[in-house]
Amino acid sequence: MNEGQEEFLDFFIARTLKNKRDEAEQVLIQAFSEQEHKKFTTANLTDLQNTLLPLVKPENYAEVEAAMNHFANSL
């Protein structure tokens, strides 16, 4: 995992529902692994958002969604 991925993982986990943190961490680590082995597409990101955003604390949803959309614009 590279430094940017570690930073995003920390950012995301801090904004995830407490009882969903392990699940979110596993999903993100898997996505980072896939990203290292092949090009990450907007379709991959959409799938990831659909999986991860429901795990976010309601008060942090907009912030996390904005961060993921910012990443999508760099793909």
Side-chain angles (χ1 to χ4, degrees), residues 20-64:
K20 298 293 185 178
R21 289 181 180 163
D22 289 340
E23 179 181 351
E25 184 174 10
Q26 290 175 2
V27 169
L28 280 170
I29 289 172
Q30 178 64 34
F32 295 153
S33 175
E34 290 173 6
Q35 185 179 7
E36 289 177 15
H37 294 97
K38 62 181 180 178
K39 182 166 172 52
F40 204 71
T41 67
T42 54
N44 297 124
L45 184 61
T46 299
D47 290 342
L48 188 61
Q49 285 177 312
N50 290 337
T51 301
L52 291 176
L53 287 175
L55 309 179
V56 174
K57 296 174 189 173
E59 63 269 22
N60 298 119
Y61 188 92
E63 178 185 20
V64 172

Side-chain angles (χ1 to χ4, degrees), residues 8-26:
F8 184 77
L9 179 63
D10 291 343
F11 166 85
F12 192 89
I13 296 302
R15 289 155 181 81
T16 301
L17 297 164
K18 187 178 277 188
N19 64 335
K20 298 293 185 178
R21 289 181 180 163
D22 289 340
E23 179 181 351
E25 184 174 10
Q26 290 175 2

